[in-house]
Amino acid sequence: MNSTEQSNASCVSIQKSTYEHININTLLQPLGGIRQYIEKGEHVLLKTNLLIPSDPIKAVVTNPAVIRAVAQMILEIGGIPYIGDSPSGQFTKRRLEKTYTKSGLTALANDLGIELNYDTGVTKINISDGKKLKKTLFCDFVLNADKIIAFPKIKTHSFMIMTLATKIMYGAVPGLTKTKYHSLFIRRAAFADMLLDVLSVRTPDLFIMDGVTGMQGNGPSGGTPVSLGVLLASDDAIAMDLAICNMLGIEPIGIPTLRQANIRRLWPSEIQYPLLSPDDVHYSGFLLPSTIDLLVPSSKKRRQQPVPTAKCTACGQCVEICPKKAIRIIQNRASVDYSKCIACYCCHEICPYEAIKLEFVT
Ligand code: SF4
Ligand code: SF4
């Protein structure tokens, strides 16, 4: 993490953008340009957000137009970009193929002549100063990179409220190990601390946030796209996430990762905005998930539970991912045993048919 003490000032570059006209040069210029981060001959992981196989128009995954613009710039200076992530579910070549193709990255990689990662190797890593995790499995394709540029997306998250730059490296934890951590870290604060531990294993050198089209409501896969029209760049994940809260009018202490980062004294003392400020791109009425309750007095908190609907095709993906084995297929529909459910919302996140609703427990 670049801002390890509260005395550090951080820089967040913000510009208005569409997917048709992306000017990465201008965005990165206040940070020193791409050469500040990448040297000729370096293998550069473009760590995208590939939650599930999904058409980019749905705003579930990072839009390939943003990755294309950065990959072209890296190629121009002689770097060797490659694209990778570990989506939800099994970390297998087959699932990667499906995810890349549906998300528009196979076509992009073929067009630019760059590689998509298919290495599913993992290594056990010690995190000596981890608060919740002292060791973890980590994907080799991340560890093998000379440099990492991460591409988070502005999205809501039913469990973590927002999934932004501080959560992007959870995709470096392989497949179903992520599911195990939901079972180990049931409370939001503990899960957020685990995410900060993961981020510290290999913090990206640069973050470029896709906020052209974001997601609001019950994300990270079941919300609705929202046109925000921005790109952000920074080498400080926390500064970037604070800037987005500012832009969307969200109280940052209500976001578990930012709240735990504040407790760890990781917030920068100052954020500089050399291009636009969050006020310049302010968006009113952004819808947070219905599950937000961090700012609600505990006496008034009401839990939400996942409810499979008639859209269910009995594909079984939620059964596989549920960390508490709380879901079975009964009469061709997913059925939840609420006595086992810990409200992690992994089932809601992975369902490819948006067949799981979140409803208040009565
Ligand atoms: S709820 Fe969704 S993920 Fe679960 S079995 Fe039905 S369609 Fe598949
Ligand atoms: S049923 Fe869904 S929300 Fe409940 S524990 Fe399983 S995956 Fe998590």
Side-chain angles (χ1 to χ4, degrees), residues 52-277:
I52 55 172
S54 180
D55 186 325
I57 204 164
K58 293 186 169 179
V60 174
V61 297
T62 308
N63 194 291
V66 184
I67 298 166
R68 174 186 288 270
V70 177
Q72 283 174 323
M73 183 178 273
I74 294 169
L75 288 169
E76 279 167 21
I77 64 165
I80 306 160
Y82 65 103
I83 298 171
D85 193 16
S86 167
S88 288
Q90 302 266 11
F91 186 40
T92 60
K93 183 168 185 241
R94 191 157 163 256
R95 183 148 178 89
L96 286 172
E97 273 169 351
K98 188 174 176 189
T99 311
Y100 290 141
T101 300
K102 193 103 191 257
S103 308
L105 292 173
T106 304
L108 167 63
N110 289 340
D111 197 23
L112 295 185
I114 65 176
E115 288 197 5
L116 298 167
N117 174 65
Y118 287 106
D119 175 3
T120 54
V122 299
T123 299
K124 190 177 274 187
I125 296 287
N126 290 320
I127 315 175
S128 55
D129 54 355
K131 191 169 172 187
K132 290 290 171 189
L133 276 185
K134 292 296 180 193
K135 56 190 172 192
T136 185
L137 289 179
F138 221 68
C139 294
D140 288 345
F141 76 88
V142 179
L143 297 171
N144 292 338
D146 294 319
K147 295 285 171 57
I148 301 176
I149 300 179
F151 294 84
K153 192 166 178 74
I154 299 181
K155 289 198 300 175
T156 48
H157 193 280
S158 295
F159 187 46
M160 284 288 101
I161 311 305
M162 294 295 291
T163 173
L164 301 169
T166 42
K167 191 172 180 294
I168 184 72
M169 291 310 284
Y170 202 39
V173 175
L176 294 179
T177 303
K178 290 193 274 285
T179 305
K180 187 174 107 186
Y181 290 168
H182 274 283
S183 169
L184 288 175
F185 306 109
I186 295 172
R187 297 178 67 85
R188 282 177 166 147
F191 197 84
D193 264 322
M194 178 276 295
L195 291 174
L196 293 174
D197 290 343
V198 168
L199 180 64
S200 74
V201 172
R202 180 60 176 91
T203 306
D205 302 277
L206 178 65
F207 299 83
I208 297 179
M209 178 71 73
D210 173 9
V212 177
T213 303
M215 176 176 282
Q216 62 181 348
N218 284 336
S221 61
T224 52
V226 55
S227 182
L228 301 170
V230 292
L231 291 175
L232 298 88
S234 181
D235 52 21
D236 184 334
I238 291 161
M240 177 176 265
D241 290 1
L242 288 168
I244 291 164
C245 286
N246 208 339
M247 167 189 157
L248 299 177
I250 300 170
E251 173 55 63
I253 289 294
I255 309 302
T257 44
L258 289 176
R259 184 167 150 134
Q260 296 313 112
N262 187 39
I263 291 168
R264 294 187 188 196
R265 300 175 63 78
L266 295 174
W267 284 23
S269 58
E270 183 192 344
I271 304 177
Q272 293 165 353
Y273 299 109
L275 297 180
L276 298 174
S277 76

Side-chain angles (χ1 to χ4, degrees), residues 312-318 329 334 351-353 355-356:
C312 177
T313 64
C315 73
Q317 292 191 49
C318 59
I329 302 293
C351 178
Y353 304 101
I356 294 184

Side-chain angles (χ1 to χ4, degrees), residues 306 318 321-327 336-338 340-348 356:
C318 59
I321 205 165
C322 176
K324 302 306 284 184
K325 305 282 175 237
I327 309 178
V336 179
D337 178 347
Y338 295 109
K340 294 181 180 172
C341 175
I342 56 172
C344 68
Y345 309 124
C346 289
C347 52
H348 177 259
I356 294 184

